[in-house]
Amino acid sequence: MDLDIACHINVLVDGPDSPLTPQALVRVAEAGYRRIVLAPFDPAATDLASLRRLFDDAGLTPIPIAGQMPGADVSSADADERRAGEAALYAMVDATAALGGDQLNGVPYGVFGHPMAPIDAAARERSATSVGKVADYAHEHGITMTFEVVNRYETAMVNTAAQAMEYAELSGSDHLRIHLDSFHMAVEESDAAQAIRAAMPRLAYLELGQSGRGLLSTGAVDIPGLVQGALDDGYEGRWGVEAFSRSIIPGFVADMLAIWREPYTDGGALAEDAMRVIRAGWAASSVGRRAQRLARSAGDTGSIIRPA
């Protein structure tokens, strides 16, 4: 299987105060992952050089996450707050480059959290214009900037693939890319396969998360079917695996994401389970079946007719 798959860093630690160990990273790399999605961090307070060495030693490439906060929000009508929001995004692009990454994920278009009212057109345009400028800056530094489409309980800005395409066009950037997540699609989309097709021109990251935020093999979302369908429809971008468990992430993050239970306790086992589920979808796809036929043909030397 030749898919470029990332695993969220929160899957790998044993608790909110546990360090990320080289052993955990090696286990994930050995399971077939190529990248690791980082938790949000303050680049000014982070030893980026040491962090980069940790990932380099494991053979994994990091994908940081960009976001906004009150007082630094690109959708704000206040010019100073908007500039502070842009500055935070530019800083995360620079941090991504310092870490040796080539992709920046996240929710860069506004403050993440339960919205209390719809987003008006002016706020959406302000947000898109700022994010588009940062996406162009990222592209100049060899970095693809994506924005995640999340559900109605986490933002009012962008909830569907169709809205994501509109937002990307509004940004004015040819380089801004879309990040879809099966967990959020299960809430917002009437047809996940159609949503993937709709976003395909700008889709760069397709994340796999189950309905209960736990193992990909257990839940209401047909992950193998989604993988198969996306590959059959021509998706060639990167993939991600995301899961959350109450005891493994900081309490304030668990509260913000409404993670009240323990869907899993062994992050390494979850990462390995996810890879098996993804492989099942790949094997059923036209891409996977073709690769398997070629592999069998290459190994079946007895069927080759050689010239006399």
Side-chain angles (χ1 to χ4, degrees):
M1 185 176 71
D2 188 25
L3 298 181
D4 192 341
I5 309 173
C7 184
H8 263 256
I9 205 167
N10 58 270
V11 168
L12 307 180
V13 296
D14 294 326
D17 300 317
S18 299
L20 182 68
T21 64
Q23 292 80 9
L25 291 175
V26 168
R27 183 176 180 183
V28 167
E30 289 177 345
Y33 293 88
R34 298 184 187 178
R35 301 174 192 277
I36 193 82
V37 180
L38 307 185
F41 65 89
D42 178 1
T46 302
D47 184 347
L48 298 174
S50 295
L51 195 57
R52 177 170 182 166
R53 284 194 295 273
L54 183 66
F55 297 125
D56 285 347
D57 289 346
L60 293 168
T61 302
I63 301 177
I65 290 178
Q68 300 284 269
M69 63 181 62
D73 178 3
V74 292
S75 70
S76 174
D78 182 88
D80 289 339
E81 188 168 352
R82 200 160 58 250
R83 279 192 291 270
E86 287 185 8
L89 297 180
Y90 284 121
M92 286 308 303
V93 173
D94 293 339
T96 302
L99 289 170
D102 62 359
Q103 181 172 324
L104 176 62
N105 287 357
V107 179
Y109 43 72
V111 177
F112 178 91
H114 186 65
M116 301 305 292
I119 296 293
D120 62 37
R124 185 172 283 105
E125 184 170 356
R126 289 191 296 266
S127 170
T129 298
S130 291
V131 172
K133 288 192 298 184
V134 179
D136 288 343
Y137 175 80
H139 176 73
E140 292 168 1
H141 290 75
I143 294 165
T144 298
M145 184 176 186
T146 77
F147 64 99
E148 185 173 6
V149 183
V150 300
N151 69 71
R152 73 192 77 174
Y153 306 109
E154 298 177 354
T155 187
M157 183 72 73
V158 184
N159 301 134
T160 68
Q163 289 178 323
M165 287 295 289
E166 292 170 0
Y167 182 91
E169 292 301 319
L170 188 62
S171 76
S173 171
D174 292 333
H175 308 298
L176 183 61
R177 294 292 180 262
I178 293 170
H179 165 179
L180 291 182
D181 182 322
S182 62
F183 171 81
H184 299 294
M185 284 192 286
V187 177
E188 299 292 347
E189 304 285 2
S190 59
D191 185 334
Q194 177 55 39
I196 292 169
R197 287 191 289 270
M200 195 78 77
R202 286 186 180 257
L203 185 59
Y205 193 71
L206 185 50
E207 194 161 55
L208 305 172
Q210 259 299 355
S211 55
R213 292 297 206 181
L215 274 69
L216 295 194
S217 61
T218 61
V221 180
D222 178 8
I223 299 292
L226 187 147
V227 172
Q228 176 186 350
L231 291 172
D232 286 344
D233 284 335
Y235 179 63
E236 297 179 344
R238 290 173 181 165
W239 301 79
V241 171
E242 183 178 56
F244 297 103
S245 200
R246 180 81 190 177
S247 65
I248 291 178
I249 55 179
F252 77 93
V253 177
D255 292 346
M256 182 172 60
L257 296 174
I259 307 299
W260 316 123
R261 300 181 294 106
E262 302 290 324
Y264 67 93
T265 56
D266 185 337
L270 184 141
E272 290 159 0
D273 170 83
M275 191 59 73
R276 287 190 293 271
V277 171
I278 295 168
R279 285 190 173 114
W282 173 86
S285 71
S286 57
V287 173
R289 294 196 306 272
R290 183 167 59 250
Q292 292 171 90
R293 286 196 303 271
L294 290 172
R296 286 195 297 269
S297 297
D300 186 10
T301 55
S303 66
I304 298 175
I305 300 176
R306 303 180 186 279

